Amino acid sequence: MVDRSLVGRTLPATAPYQVGRQKITEFALAIGEGDSVCLDVDAARAAGHPDVVAPPTFTIAFVLPAIESFLRDPEVGWDYAHMVHAEQAITLHRPVHAGDELATTIHVDDLRTRAGSHMLTLRCEVADGHGAPVATCKAVLVTKADEA
Amino acid sequence: MSASAGPETAKGDELAPTSVRVSRADLVRYAGASGDFNPIHWSDRVAGEVGLPGVIAHGMLTMALAGRFVSAWAGGPAAVRGLGVRFTRPVVVPDDGTGATIELSGTVSGVDESDAGRVATVAVTAKFDGRTVLGRATAEVLLPS
């Protein structure tokens, strides 16, 4: 049984995720992104960035684990094993780059139940070490509803 | 056809279509890079148990490929300020040494002024086996001035 009182709740911010240069490079190569600003710090600096730039979907690689640890909490009552990622939106308020320390705050925006499925909307606000907004990631997740 | 984003970018411009091949090795590599080790992306046994026709690509990998397609047109990943998709159909990746081919195309659906500069909205189409795998896929691109 999903805890419906979660809707409207804001979870505590995660410990900061440290964006590493090699992690960005590894991620870029895994998606076939060959732009030198992702791979070479000198090229990134020459283009006016403080360090190598993360591809836009890199943010989800550290946001999803935060979502997972929330939804695997038995108190939440979410069937994680049958979960499907239905929608994802990413808004970058600025590019993410190596050296960033990014904390994620999950907001439970919506929960709908119909035709045997729960549809949960989570808005994850990502902020840097100064508290400035860096990204807003909205995920819509679907799983089986156990209640009648 | 628009080779790259620029000051002249306007509604109706089309991005040069491309196709990307995704193999099992690519899925393993993406799993490691992203930390998403869900076995439906590498184990035929588990994929079969949950009713899938076979191992499927991570939705986030398909989204990343759409992002890369837009980034190449935009002049780099830093210009891509927004990306949104619905995951409508799985991309089945067979263990046959070839993998799956995803066809990407895109059209500029609008150009607006923002505080940061001119922003183009790009409607992206991603197809596998002739059918759309991302629904309502859009990207926001900060245009060079």
Side-chain angles (χ1 to χ4, degrees):
Chain A
M1 185 79 79
V2 172
D3 179 0
R4 294 191 175 272
S5 74
L6 289 167
V7 177
R9 199 175 294 181
T10 298
L11 305 181
T14 61
Y17 174 86
Q18 307 221 342
V19 180
R21 201 177 278 169
Q22 281 82 6
K23 193 66 195 177
I24 287 180
T25 300
E26 180 190 7
F27 187 88
L29 292 174
I31 65 165
E33 174 59 77
D35 196 299
S36 59
V37 301
C38 300
L39 307 176
D40 176 0
V41 66
D42 293 330
R45 287 184 177 148
H49 304 292
D51 210 308
V52 292
V53 176
T57 63
F58 178 86
T59 44
I60 305 304
F62 61 84
V63 165
L64 276 183
I67 291 175
E68 179 171 353
S69 70
F70 165 52
L71 292 179
R72 280 195 188 276
D73 180 349
E75 302 276 301
V76 173
W78 182 260
D79 181 355
Y80 197 87
H82 291 99
M83 186 180 85
V84 174
H85 198 172
E87 295 182 34
Q88 181 66 56
I90 303 162
T91 301
L92 289 158
H93 308 299
R94 67 158 170 85
V96 169
H97 52 74
D100 276 333
E101 297 198 4
L102 303 175
T104 301
T105 303
I106 297 175
H107 301 258
V108 183
D109 274 359
D110 194 24
L111 174 66
R112 288 159 197 251
T113 303
R114 71 169 87 98
S117 294
H118 293 306
M119 184 182 275
L120 183 68
T121 303
L122 300 178
R123 176 171 46 86
C124 304
E125 298 289 356
V126 177
D128 67 17
H130 307 286
V134 173
T136 302
C137 303
K138 203 177 95 172
V140 178
L141 306 163
V142 175
T143 198
K144 282 183 185 168
D146 50 8
E147 54 233 80
Chain B
M1 203 63 67
S2 165
S4 60
E8 311 296 316
T9 293
K11 183 178 175 178
D13 285 0
E14 289 185 20
L15 284 64
T18 189
S19 64
V20 182
R21 193 175 283 181
V22 177
S23 69
R24 283 287 176 91
D26 294 324
L27 301 190
V28 172
R29 180 177 250 216
Y30 183 78
S34 68
D36 182 347
F37 293 101
N38 188 329
I40 61 170
H41 305 304
W42 50 266
S43 166
D44 283 305
R45 176 181 56 81
V46 175
E49 281 171 8
V50 300
L52 292 167
V55 160
I56 63 168
H58 305 74
M60 285 308 307
L61 173 58
T62 308
M63 184 179 187
L65 297 176
R68 184 188 119 192
F69 169 64
V70 174
S71 157
W73 174 78
V80 181
R81 293 304 173 91
L83 201 55
V85 307
R86 298 174 78 180
F87 302 104
T88 52
R89 200 172 278 127
V91 174
V92 181
V93 180
D95 184 18
D96 61 359
T98 305
T101 300
I102 299 171
E103 311 279 345
L104 295 159
S105 56
T107 306
V108 176
S109 58
V111 177
D112 297 291
E113 297 293 338
S114 80
D115 293 342
R118 292 172 75 235
V119 174
T121 301
V122 180
V124 179
T125 303
K127 287 187 174 181
F128 162 66
D129 246 0
R131 304 212 290 175
T132 302
V133 292
L134 297 178
R136 283 198 228 148
T138 57
E140 275 80 54
V141 173
L142 190 58
L143 296 172
S145 48

